[in-house]
Coordinates of all heavy atoms in Angstrom, one line a residue:
M63 N 17.6 -7.1 -22.3 CA 16.8 -6.0 -22.4 C 15.9 -5.8 -21.1 O 15.3 -6.7 -20.7 CB 15.8 -6.2 -23.6 CG 14.9 -5.0 -23.9 SD 14.1 -5.4 -25.4 CE 13.0 -4.0 -25.5
S64 N 16.0 -4.7 -20.5 CA 15.3 -4.5 -19.2 C 13.9 -3.9 -19.5 O 13.7 -3.2 -20.5 CB 16.1 -3.6 -18.3 OG 16.2 -2.3 -18.8
M65 N 13.0 -4.1 -18.5 CA 11.7 -3.6 -18.7 C 11.6 -2.2 -18.1 O 12.4 -1.8 -17.3 CB 10.7 -4.4 -17.8 CG 10.5 -5.8 -18.3 SD 9.1 -6.7 -17.6 CE 9.2 -6.4 -15.9
S66 N 10.7 -1.4 -18.7 CA 10.6 0.0 -18.2 C 9.9 0.0 -16.8 O 9.4 -1.0 -16.4 CB 9.7 0.8 -19.2 OG 8.4 0.4 -19.1
T67 N 9.9 1.1 -16.2 CA 9.3 1.2 -14.9 C 7.8 0.9 -14.9 O 7.3 0.2 -14.0 CB 9.5 2.7 -14.3 OG1 10.9 3.0 -14.3 CG2 9.0 2.8 -12.9
A68 N 7.1 1.4 -15.9 CA 5.7 1.1 -16.1 C 5.4 -0.4 -16.2 O 4.5 -1.0 -15.6 CB 5.1 1.8 -17.2
E69 N 6.3 -1.1 -17.0 CA 6.2 -2.5 -17.1 C 6.5 -3.3 -15.8 O 5.8 -4.3 -15.5 CB 7.1 -3.0 -18.2 CG 6.6 -2.6 -19.6 CD 7.6 -2.9 -20.7 OE1 8.8 -3.0 -20.4 OE2 7.2 -3.1 -21.8
D70 N 7.4 -2.8 -15.1 CA 7.8 -3.4 -13.8 C 6.5 -3.3 -12.8 O 6.2 -4.2 -12.2 CB 8.9 -2.6 -13.1 CG 10.3 -2.9 -13.7 OD1 10.4 -3.9 -14.5 OD2 11.2 -2.1 -13.5
R71 N 5.9 -2.1 -12.8 CA 4.7 -1.9 -12.0 C 3.6 -2.8 -12.4 O 2.9 -3.4 -11.6 CB 4.3 -0.5 -12.0 CG 5.1 0.4 -11.1 CD 4.4 1.8 -10.9 NE 5.5 2.7 -11.1 CZ 5.5 3.8 -11.9 NH1 4.4 4.1 -12.6 NH2 6.5 4.6 -12.0
A72 N 3.4 -3.0 -13.7 CA 2.3 -3.8 -14.2 C 2.6 -5.3 -13.8 O 1.7 -6.0 -13.4 CB 2.2 -3.7 -15.7
A73 N 3.8 -5.7 -13.9 CA 4.2 -7.1 -13.6 C 4.0 -7.3 -12.1 O 3.5 -8.4 -11.7 CB 5.6 -7.4 -14.0
A74 N 4.3 -6.4 -11.3 CA 4.2 -6.5 -9.8 C 2.7 -6.5 -9.4 O 2.3 -7.2 -8.5 CB 4.9 -5.3 -9.1
A75 N 1.9 -5.7 -10.1 CA 0.5 -5.7 -9.8 C -0.2 -7.0 -10.1 O -1.2 -7.4 -9.5 CB -0.2 -4.5 -10.6
E76 N 0.3 -7.7 -11.1 CA -0.3 -9.0 -11.5 C 0.1 -10.1 -10.5 O -0.5 -11.2 -10.5 CB 0.1 -9.4 -12.9 CG -0.5 -8.5 -13.9 CD 0.0 -8.8 -15.3 OE1 0.8 -9.7 -15.5 OE2 -0.4 -8.0 -16.2
E77 N 1.2 -9.9 -9.7 CA 1.7 -10.9 -8.8 C 0.6 -11.1 -7.7 O 0.1 -10.2 -7.1 CB 3.0 -10.4 -8.2 CG 3.5 -11.3 -7.1 CD 4.7 -10.6 -6.4 OE1 5.1 -9.5 -6.8 OE2 5.3 -11.3 -5.5
T78 N 0.3 -12.4 -7.5 CA -0.7 -12.7 -6.4 C 0.1 -13.4 -5.3 O 0.9 -14.3 -5.6 CB -1.9 -13.5 -6.9 OG1 -1.4 -14.7 -7.5 CG2 -2.7 -12.7 -7.9
L79 N -0.2 -13.1 -4.1 CA 0.5 -13.7 -3.0 C -0.4 -14.7 -2.2 O -1.6 -14.4 -2.1 CB 1.0 -12.6 -2.0 CG 1.9 -11.5 -2.5 CD1 2.1 -10.5 -1.4 CD2 3.2 -12.1 -2.9
S80 N 0.2 -15.7 -1.8 CA -0.6 -16.6 -0.9 C -0.7 -15.9 0.5 O 0.0 -15.0 0.8 CB 0.1 -18.0 -0.7 OG 1.3 -17.8 0.0
E81 N -1.7 -16.4 1.2 CA -1.9 -15.8 2.6 C -0.6 -15.9 3.4 O -0.2 -15.0 4.1 CB -3.0 -16.5 3.3 CG -3.4 -15.9 4.6 CD -4.0 -14.5 4.4 OE1 -4.6 -14.2 3.4 OE2 -3.9 -13.7 5.4
D82 N 0.1 -17.1 3.4 CA 1.3 -17.2 4.1 C 2.4 -16.3 3.7 O 3.1 -15.7 4.5 CB 1.8 -18.7 4.0 CG 1.0 -19.7 4.8 OD1 0.2 -19.2 5.7 OD2 1.0 -20.9 4.4
E83 N 2.5 -16.1 2.4 CA 3.6 -15.2 1.8 C 3.2 -13.8 2.2 O 4.1 -13.0 2.6 CB 3.6 -15.3 0.3 CG 4.8 -14.8 -0.3 CD 4.9 -15.1 -1.8 OE1 4.0 -15.7 -2.4 OE2 6.0 -14.8 -2.4
Y84 N 2.0 -13.4 2.2 CA 1.5 -12.1 2.6 C 1.9 -11.8 4.0 O 2.5 -10.8 4.4 CB 0.0 -11.9 2.3 CG -0.6 -10.7 2.9 CD1 -0.4 -9.4 2.3 CD2 -1.3 -10.7 4.1 CE1 -1.0 -8.3 2.8 CE2 -1.9 -9.6 4.6 CZ -1.7 -8.4 4.0 OH -2.3 -7.2 4.5
R85 N 1.6 -12.8 4.9 CA 1.9 -12.6 6.3 C 3.4 -12.6 6.6 O 3.8 -11.8 7.5 CB 1.2 -13.8 7.1 CG -0.3 -13.6 7.1 CD -1.0 -14.8 7.8 NE -0.7 -14.9 9.2 CZ -1.3 -14.2 10.1 NH1 -2.3 -13.4 9.8 NH2 -1.0 -14.3 11.4
D86 N 4.1 -13.4 5.8 CA 5.6 -13.4 6.0 C 6.2 -12.0 5.7 O 7.1 -11.5 6.4 CB 6.3 -14.4 5.2 CG 6.1 -15.8 5.7 OD1 5.7 -16.0 6.9 OD2 6.3 -16.8 5.0
R87 N 5.7 -11.4 4.6 CA 6.2 -10.1 4.2 C 5.8 -9.0 5.3 O 6.5 -8.1 5.5 CB 5.7 -9.7 2.9 CG 6.3 -10.5 1.7 CD 5.9 -9.9 0.4 NE 6.3 -10.8 -0.7 CZ 6.2 -10.5 -2.0 NH1 5.7 -9.3 -2.3 NH2 6.7 -11.3 -2.9
L88 N 4.6 -9.1 5.8 CA 4.1 -8.2 6.8 C 4.7 -8.3 8.2 O 4.9 -7.4 8.9 CB 2.6 -8.4 6.9 CG 1.7 -7.3 7.5 CD1 1.9 -6.0 6.7 CD2 0.3 -7.7 7.5
R89 N 5.2 -9.5 8.5 CA 5.7 -9.9 9.8 C 6.7 -8.9 10.4 O 6.7 -8.5 11.5 CB 6.2 -11.3 9.8 CG 6.5 -11.8 11.2 CD 6.9 -13.3 11.2 NE 6.2 -14.1 10.2 CZ 5.0 -14.7 10.4 NH1 4.4 -14.5 11.6 NH2 4.5 -15.5 9.5
D90 N 7.7 -8.6 9.6 CA 8.9 -7.8 10.1 C 8.7 -6.3 9.9 O 9.6 -5.5 10.2 CB 10.1 -8.2 9.4 CG 10.5 -9.7 9.7 OD1 10.2 -10.1 10.8 OD2 11.1 -10.3 8.8
L91 N 7.5 -5.9 9.5 CA 7.3 -4.4 9.3 C 6.9 -3.8 10.6 O 6.4 -4.5 11.5 CB 6.2 -4.2 8.3 CG 6.5 -4.6 6.9 CD1 5.4 -4.4 5.9 CD2 7.8 -3.9 6.3
P92 N 7.1 -2.5 10.7 CA 6.7 -1.8 12.0 C 5.2 -1.8 12.2 O 4.4 -2.0 11.2 CB 7.2 -0.4 11.8 CG 7.4 -0.2 10.3 CD 7.7 -1.6 9.8
P93 N 4.7 -1.6 13.4 CA 3.3 -1.6 13.7 C 2.5 -0.6 12.9 O 1.3 -1.0 12.5 CB 3.2 -1.2 15.2 CG 4.5 -1.6 15.8 CD 5.5 -1.4 14.6
S94 N 3.0 0.5 12.5 CA 2.3 1.5 11.7 C 2.0 0.9 10.3 O 0.9 1.1 9.8 CB 3.0 2.8 11.6 OG 4.3 2.6 11.0
A95 N 2.9 0.2 9.8 CA 2.7 -0.4 8.5 C 1.6 -1.5 8.5 O 0.8 -1.7 7.6 CB 4.0 -1.0 7.9
K96 N 1.6 -2.3 9.6 CA 0.6 -3.3 9.8 C -0.8 -2.7 10.0 O -1.7 -3.2 9.4 CB 1.0 -4.2 11.1 CG 2.2 -5.0 10.9 CD 2.6 -5.7 12.1 CE 4.0 -6.4 11.9 NZ 4.5 -7.0 13.2
L97 N -0.8 -1.6 10.7 CA -2.1 -0.9 10.9 C -2.6 -0.4 9.5 O -3.8 -0.6 9.2 CB -2.0 0.2 11.9 CG -3.3 1.0 12.1 CD1 -4.5 0.1 12.6 CD2 -3.0 2.1 13.1
V98 N -1.8 0.2 8.8 CA -2.2 0.8 7.5 C -2.6 -0.4 6.6 O -3.7 -0.3 5.9 CB -1.0 1.6 6.8 CG1 -1.3 1.9 5.4 CG2 -0.8 2.9 7.6
A99 N -1.9 -1.5 6.6 CA -2.4 -2.7 5.8 C -3.7 -3.2 6.2 O -4.6 -3.5 5.4 CB -1.3 -3.8 5.9
K100 N -4.0 -3.2 7.5 CA -5.3 -3.6 8.1 C -6.4 -2.7 7.6 O -7.5 -3.2 7.2 CB -5.2 -3.7 9.6 CG -6.4 -4.4 10.2 CD -6.3 -5.9 9.8 CE -7.3 -6.7 10.5 NZ -7.5 -8.0 10.0
V101 N -6.1 -1.4 7.6 CA -7.1 -0.4 7.2 C -7.4 -0.7 5.7 O -8.6 -0.6 5.3 CB -6.7 1.0 7.4 CG1 -7.6 2.0 6.7 CG2 -6.6 1.3 8.9
L102 N -6.4 -0.9 4.9 CA -6.5 -1.1 3.5 C -7.3 -2.5 3.2 O -7.9 -2.6 2.2 CB -5.2 -1.1 2.7 CG -4.6 0.3 2.6 CD1 -3.2 0.2 2.0 CD2 -5.5 1.2 1.7
E103 N -7.2 -3.4 4.1 CA -7.9 -4.7 4.0 C -9.4 -4.5 4.0 O -10.2 -5.1 3.3 CB -7.5 -5.7 5.1 CG -6.3 -6.5 4.8 CD -6.0 -7.5 5.9 OE1 -6.8 -7.7 6.8 OE2 -4.9 -8.0 5.9
T104 N -9.8 -3.5 4.9 CA -11.2 -3.3 5.1 C -11.8 -2.3 4.2 O -13.0 -2.3 3.9 CB -11.5 -2.9 6.6 OG1 -10.8 -1.7 6.8 CG2 -11.1 -4.0 7.6
D105 N -11.0 -1.3 3.7 CA -11.5 -0.3 2.9 C -10.4 0.2 1.9 O -9.4 0.8 2.4 CB -12.0 0.9 3.8 CG -12.8 1.9 3.0 OD1 -13.2 1.6 1.9 OD2 -13.0 3.0 3.5
S106 N -10.6 0.0 0.7 CA -9.6 0.3 -0.3 C -10.2 0.6 -1.6 O -11.2 0.0 -1.9 CB -8.6 -0.9 -0.3 OG -7.9 -1.0 -1.5
P107 N -9.7 1.4 -2.5 CA -8.4 2.2 -2.3 C -8.7 3.5 -1.5 O -9.8 4.0 -1.5 CB -8.1 2.6 -3.7 CG -9.4 2.6 -4.5 CD -10.2 1.6 -3.8
L108 N -7.7 3.9 -0.8 CA -7.7 5.1 0.0 C -6.6 6.1 -0.3 O -5.5 5.6 -0.6 CB -7.7 4.8 1.5 CG -8.9 4.0 2.1 CD1 -8.7 3.6 3.5 CD2 -10.2 4.9 2.0
S109 N -6.8 7.4 -0.1 CA -5.7 8.3 -0.3 C -4.9 8.3 1.0 O -5.3 7.8 2.1 CB -6.2 9.7 -0.6 OG -6.9 10.2 0.6
Q110 N -3.8 9.0 1.0 CA -2.9 9.1 2.2 C -3.7 9.8 3.3 O -3.6 9.4 4.5 CB -1.6 9.8 1.8 CG -0.7 9.9 3.0 CD 0.6 10.7 2.7 OE1 1.1 10.5 1.6 NE2 1.0 11.5 3.5
G111 N -4.4 10.9 3.0 CA -5.2 11.6 4.0 C -6.3 10.7 4.6 O -6.5 10.8 5.8
Q112 N -7.0 9.9 3.7 CA -8.0 9.1 4.2 C -7.4 8.0 5.1 O -8.0 7.6 6.1 CB -8.7 8.4 3.1 CG -9.6 9.4 2.3 CD -10.1 8.8 1.0 OE1 -9.4 8.1 0.3 NE2 -11.4 9.1 0.7
L113 N -6.2 7.5 4.8 CA -5.6 6.5 5.6 C -5.2 7.1 7.0 O -5.3 6.4 8.0 CB -4.3 6.0 4.9 CG -4.5 4.9 3.9 CD1 -3.3 4.7 3.0 CD2 -5.0 3.6 4.5
A114 N -4.8 8.3 7.0 CA -4.4 9.0 8.2 C -5.7 9.2 9.1 O -5.6 8.9 10.3 CB -3.8 10.4 8.0
E115 N -6.8 9.5 8.5 CA -8.1 9.7 9.2 C -8.5 8.3 9.8 O -8.9 8.2 11.0 CB -9.2 10.2 8.3 CG -9.2 11.7 8.1 CD -10.3 12.1 7.2 OE1 -11.4 11.5 7.3 OE2 -10.1 13.0 6.4
E116 N -8.5 7.3 9.0 CA -9.0 6.0 9.4 C -8.1 5.3 10.5 O -8.6 4.6 11.4 CB -9.1 5.0 8.2 CG -10.2 5.4 7.3 CD -11.6 5.3 7.9 OE1 -11.9 4.4 8.6 OE2 -12.4 6.3 7.6
S117 N -6.8 5.5 10.3 CA -5.9 4.8 11.2 C -5.5 5.6 12.5 O -5.0 5.1 13.4 CB -4.6 4.5 10.5 OG -3.9 5.7 10.1
L118 N -5.9 6.9 12.4 CA -5.6 7.9 13.5 C -4.1 8.1 13.7 O -3.6 8.4 14.7 CB -6.2 7.4 14.9 CG -7.7 7.3 14.9 CD1 -8.2 6.7 16.2 CD2 -8.4 8.6 14.5
L119 N -3.3 7.8 12.6 CA -1.9 8.1 12.6 C -1.6 9.4 11.9 O -2.3 9.9 11.1 CB -1.2 7.0 11.8 CG -1.2 5.5 12.3 CD1 -0.7 4.6 11.3 CD2 -0.4 5.5 13.6
P120 N -0.5 10.0 12.3 CA -0.1 11.3 11.6 C 0.3 11.0 10.2 O 0.7 9.9 9.8 CB 1.2 11.7 12.4 CG 1.2 10.9 13.7 CD 0.4 9.7 13.4
D121 N 0.1 12.1 9.3 CA 0.4 11.9 7.9 C 1.8 11.4 7.7 O 2.0 10.5 6.8 CB 0.3 13.3 7.2 CG -1.1 13.7 7.0 OD1 -2.0 12.9 7.1 OD2 -1.4 14.9 6.8
R122 N 2.8 11.9 8.4 CA 4.2 11.5 8.2 C 4.3 10.0 8.5 O 5.1 9.3 7.8 CB 5.1 12.3 9.1 CG 6.5 12.0 9.0 CD 7.3 13.0 9.8 NE 8.7 12.6 9.7 CZ 9.7 13.3 10.3 NH1 9.4 14.3 11.1 NH2 10.9 13.0 10.1
T123 N 3.7 9.5 9.5 CA 3.8 8.1 9.8 C 3.1 7.2 8.8 O 3.6 6.1 8.4 CB 3.1 7.8 11.2 OG1 3.7 8.6 12.2 CG2 3.2 6.3 11.6
V124 N 2.0 7.7 8.2 CA 1.3 7.0 7.1 C 2.2 6.9 5.9 O 2.3 5.9 5.3 CB -0.1 7.6 6.8 CG1 -0.7 7.0 5.5 CG2 -1.0 7.5 8.0
R125 N 2.9 8.0 5.6 CA 3.8 8.0 4.5 C 4.9 7.0 4.7 O 5.2 6.3 3.7 CB 4.4 9.4 4.3 CG 3.9 10.3 3.2 CD 4.7 11.5 2.9 NE 5.3 12.2 4.0 CZ 4.7 13.1 4.7 NH1 3.5 13.5 4.5 NH2 5.3 13.7 5.7
Y126 N 5.5 7.0 5.9 CA 6.5 6.0 6.2 C 6.0 4.6 6.0 O 6.6 3.7 5.4 CB 7.0 6.2 7.6 CG 8.0 5.2 8.1 CD1 9.3 5.2 7.6 CD2 7.6 4.2 9.0 CE1 10.2 4.2 8.0 CE2 8.5 3.3 9.4 CZ 9.8 3.3 8.9 OH 10.7 2.3 9.3
A127 N 4.8 4.3 6.6 CA 4.2 3.0 6.5 C 3.9 2.6 5.0 O 4.2 1.4 4.6 CB 2.9 3.0 7.3
L128 N 3.4 3.5 4.2 CA 3.2 3.2 2.8 C 4.5 2.9 2.1 O 4.5 2.0 1.3 CB 2.5 4.3 2.1 CG 1.0 4.5 2.5 CD1 0.4 5.8 2.0 CD2 0.2 3.3 2.0
N129 N 5.5 3.6 2.4 CA 6.8 3.4 1.8 C 7.3 2.0 2.1 O 7.9 1.3 1.3 CB 7.9 4.4 2.1 CG 7.6 5.7 1.4 OD1 7.1 5.8 0.4 ND2 8.0 6.8 2.1
R130 N 7.2 1.6 3.4 CA 7.7 0.3 3.8 C 6.8 -0.8 3.1 O 7.4 -1.8 2.7 CB 7.6 0.2 5.3 CG 8.5 1.1 6.1 CD 10.0 0.8 5.9 NE 10.4 -0.6 6.1 CZ 10.8 -1.1 7.3 NH1 10.9 -0.3 8.3 NH2 11.1 -2.3 7.4
L131 N 5.5 -0.6 3.1 CA 4.7 -1.6 2.4 C 5.0 -1.7 0.9 O 4.9 -2.8 0.3 CB 3.2 -1.2 2.6 CG 2.6 -1.4 4.0 CD1 1.3 -0.7 4.2 CD2 2.5 -2.9 4.3
E132 N 5.3 -0.6 0.3 CA 5.7 -0.6 -1.1 C 7.0 -1.3 -1.3 O 7.2 -2.1 -2.3 CB 5.7 0.8 -1.7 CG 4.4 1.4 -2.0 CD 4.5 2.9 -2.5 OE1 5.5 3.5 -2.2 OE2 3.5 3.3 -3.1
D133 N 7.9 -1.1 -0.4 CA 9.3 -1.8 -0.5 C 9.2 -3.3 -0.5 O 10.0 -3.9 -1.2 CB 10.1 -1.3 0.7 CG 10.6 0.1 0.6 OD1 10.5 0.7 -0.5 OD2 11.1 0.6 1.6
V134 N 8.2 -3.8 0.2 CA 8.1 -5.3 0.2 C 7.0 -5.8 -0.7 O 6.7 -7.0 -0.7 CB 7.8 -5.8 1.7 CG1 9.0 -5.5 2.6 CG2 6.5 -5.3 2.2
G135 N 6.5 -4.9 -1.5 CA 5.5 -5.3 -2.6 C 4.1 -5.6 -2.1 O 3.4 -6.4 -2.8
L136 N 3.7 -5.1 -1.0 CA 2.4 -5.4 -0.5 C 1.3 -4.3 -0.9 O 0.1 -4.6 -0.8 CB 2.4 -5.5 1.0 CG 3.1 -6.7 1.5 CD1 3.1 -6.8 3.1 CD2 2.5 -8.0 1.0
V137 N 1.7 -3.2 -1.3 CA 0.8 -2.1 -1.6 C 1.1 -1.5 -3.0 O 2.3 -1.4 -3.3 CB 0.7 -1.0 -0.5 CG1 1.9 -0.2 -0.5 CG2 -0.5 -0.2 -0.5
G138 N 0.1 -1.1 -3.7 CA 0.2 -0.5 -5.0 C -0.5 0.9 -4.9 O -1.3 1.1 -4.0
S139 N -0.3 1.7 -5.9 CA -0.9 3.0 -6.0 C -1.3 3.3 -7.4 O -0.7 2.7 -8.3 CB 0.0 4.1 -5.4 OG 1.1 4.2 -6.2
R140 N -2.3 4.2 -7.5 CA -2.7 4.7 -8.8 C -3.3 6.1 -8.6 O -3.6 6.4 -7.4 CB -3.7 3.8 -9.5 CG -5.0 3.6 -8.7 CD -6.1 2.9 -9.5 NE -7.2 2.6 -8.7 CZ -8.2 3.5 -8.3 NH1 -8.1 4.7 -8.7 NH2 -9.2 3.1 -7.6
Y141 N -3.5 6.8 -9.6 CA -4.1 8.1 -9.5 C -5.6 7.9 -9.2 O -6.3 7.0 -9.8 CB -3.9 9.0 -10.7 CG -2.5 9.5 -10.8 CD1 -1.6 8.9 -11.6 CD2 -2.0 10.5 -9.9 CE1 -0.2 9.3 -11.6 CE2 -0.7 10.9 -9.9 CZ 0.2 10.3 -10.8 OH 1.5 10.8 -10.8
S142 N -6.2 8.8 -8.4 CA -7.6 8.7 -8.1 C -8.4 9.1 -9.3 O -8.1 10.0 -10.0 CB -7.9 9.7 -6.9 OG -9.3 9.8 -6.7
F143 N -9.5 8.4 -9.5 CA -10.5 8.7 -10.5 C -11.2 10.0 -10.2 O -11.7 10.7 -11.1 CB -11.4 7.5 -10.8 CG -10.8 6.3 -11.3 CD1 -11.0 5.1 -10.7 CD2 -9.8 6.3 -12.3 CE1 -10.4 3.9 -11.1 CE2 -9.2 5.2 -12.8 CZ -9.5 4.0 -12.2
R144 N -11.4 10.2 -8.9 CA -12.2 11.4 -8.5 C -11.4 12.7 -8.5 O -11.9 13.8 -8.8 CB -12.7 11.2 -7.1 CG -13.8 10.2 -7.0 CD -14.4 10.2 -5.6 NE -15.4 9.1 -5.6 CZ -15.6 8.3 -4.6 NH1 -14.9 8.4 -3.5 NH2 -16.6 7.4 -4.6
D145 N -10.1 12.6 -8.2 CA -9.2 13.7 -8.2 C -7.8 13.3 -8.7 O -7.0 12.7 -7.9 CB -9.1 14.3 -6.8 CG -8.3 15.6 -6.7 OD1 -7.6 15.9 -7.7 OD2 -8.3 16.2 -5.6
A146 N -7.5 13.6 -9.9 CA -6.2 13.1 -10.5 C -5.0 13.6 -9.9 O -3.9 13.2 -10.2 CB -6.2 13.4 -12.0
R147 N -5.1 14.6 -9.0 CA -4.0 15.1 -8.3 C -3.5 14.2 -7.1 O -2.4 14.4 -6.6 CB -4.3 16.5 -7.7 CG -4.6 17.6 -8.8 CD -5.1 18.8 -8.2 NE -6.4 18.5 -7.5 CZ -7.1 19.4 -6.8 NH1 -6.6 20.6 -6.6 NH2 -8.2 19.1 -6.3
K148 N -4.4 13.3 -6.7 CA -4.2 12.5 -5.6 C -3.9 11.0 -6.0 O -4.5 10.6 -7.0 CB -5.3 12.5 -4.6 CG -5.6 13.8 -3.9 CD -6.7 13.7 -3.0 CE -7.0 15.0 -2.3 NZ -8.1 14.9 -1.3
Q149 N -3.1 10.4 -5.2 CA -2.9 8.9 -5.4 C -3.7 8.2 -4.4 O -3.9 8.7 -3.3 CB -1.4 8.6 -5.3 CG -0.6 9.1 -6.4 CD 0.6 8.2 -6.7 OE1 1.1 7.5 -5.8 NE2 1.1 8.2 -7.9
V150 N -4.2 7.0 -4.8 CA -4.9 6.1 -3.8 C -4.1 4.8 -3.7 O -3.4 4.5 -4.7 CB -6.3 5.9 -4.2 CG1 -7.2 7.2 -4.1 CG2 -6.5 5.3 -5.6
Y151 N -4.2 4.2 -2.6 CA -3.4 3.0 -2.3 C -4.3 1.8 -2.1 O -5.4 1.9 -1.6 CB -2.5 3.3 -1.1 CG -1.6 4.4 -1.3 CD1 -2.0 5.7 -1.0 CD2 -0.3 4.2 -1.8 CE1 -1.1 6.8 -1.3 CE2 0.5 5.3 -2.1 CZ 0.1 6.6 -1.8 OH 1.0 7.6 -2.1
F152 N -3.8 0.6 -2.4 CA -4.5 -0.6 -2.3 C -3.5 -1.7 -2.0 O -2.4 -1.6 -2.4 CB -5.3 -0.9 -3.6 CG -4.5 -0.9 -4.8 CD1 -3.9 -2.1 -5.3 CD2 -4.3 0.3 -5.5 CE1 -3.1 -2.1 -6.4 CE2 -3.5 0.3 -6.7 CZ -2.9 -0.9 -7.1
L153 N -4.0 -2.8 -1.4 CA -3.2 -4.0 -1.2 C -3.1 -4.8 -2.5 O -4.1 -4.9 -3.2 CB -3.8 -4.8 -0.1 CG -3.7 -4.3 1.3 CD1 -4.4 -5.2 2.3 CD2 -2.2 -4.1 1.7
K154 N -2.0 -5.4 -2.7 CA -1.8 -6.2 -3.8 C -2.1 -7.7 -3.6 O -2.1 -8.5 -4.5 CB -0.3 -6.2 -4.3 CG 0.1 -4.8 -4.9 CD 1.5 -4.9 -5.3 CE 1.9 -3.7 -6.0 NZ 3.3 -3.8 -6.5
H155 N -2.4 -8.1 -2.4 CA -2.6 -9.5 -2.1 C -4.0 -9.9 -2.4 O -4.9 -9.3 -2.6 CB -2.1 -9.9 -0.8 CG -3.1 -10.1 0.3 ND1 -3.7 -11.3 0.5 CD2 -3.7 -9.2 1.1 CE1 -4.5 -11.2 1.5 NE2 -4.6 -9.9 1.9

């Protein structure tokens, strides 16, 4: 019996990474993903637009970076409490 998508996300959100494991996953990512992760370390959760402002990266590059970070399980997202039309992103580590 397979878990639903919501259950998969919940299980992934509960996963905690050691500092070494976090750094290993981040190591092979492009510089834009590393910068977005660094911004999220200092201020989180942030929307995609806020990440673009803080990192000085174009929106498209931030989207790419977030996708790469999600692919390796380093970033999660949820709907914003202030504006349910927007998603905000946070580090899982």
Side-chain angles (χ1 to χ4, degrees):
M63 182 173 175
S64 65
M65 293 193 315
S66 72
T67 306
E69 290 172 332
D70 288 341
R71 281 191 225 130
E76 292 175 5
E77 175 185 1
T78 57
L79 301 174
S80 70
E81 187 66 27
D82 289 338
E83 198 172 7
Y84 171 76
R85 292 177 65 85
D86 285 343
R87 290 186 187 188
L88 197 59
R89 188 176 323 277
D90 295 329
L91 295 179
S94 60
K96 292 174 184 173
L97 177 58
V98 167
K100 192 64 169 172
V101 170
L102 287 173
E103 277 182 9
T104 59
D105 192 16
S106 155
L108 293 173
S109 69
Q110 182 180 321
Q112 291 170 318
L113 281 166
E115 278 182 37
E116 292 295 318
S117 66
L118 302 177
L119 293 171
D121 287 341
R122 184 176 178 178
T123 304
V124 170
R125 257 192 322 273
Y126 174 75
L128 287 169
N129 286 334
R130 295 296 307 270
L131 289 164
E132 285 178 335
D133 289 346
V134 296
L136 292 179
V137 74
S139 65
R140 63 169 170 76
Y141 287 102
S142 171
F143 295 131
R144 292 187 181 139
D145 185 351
R147 297 171 295 175
K148 294 183 181 181
Q149 288 209 335
V150 292
Y151 300 88
F152 55 90
L153 288 178
K154 289 184 176 181
H155 104 92

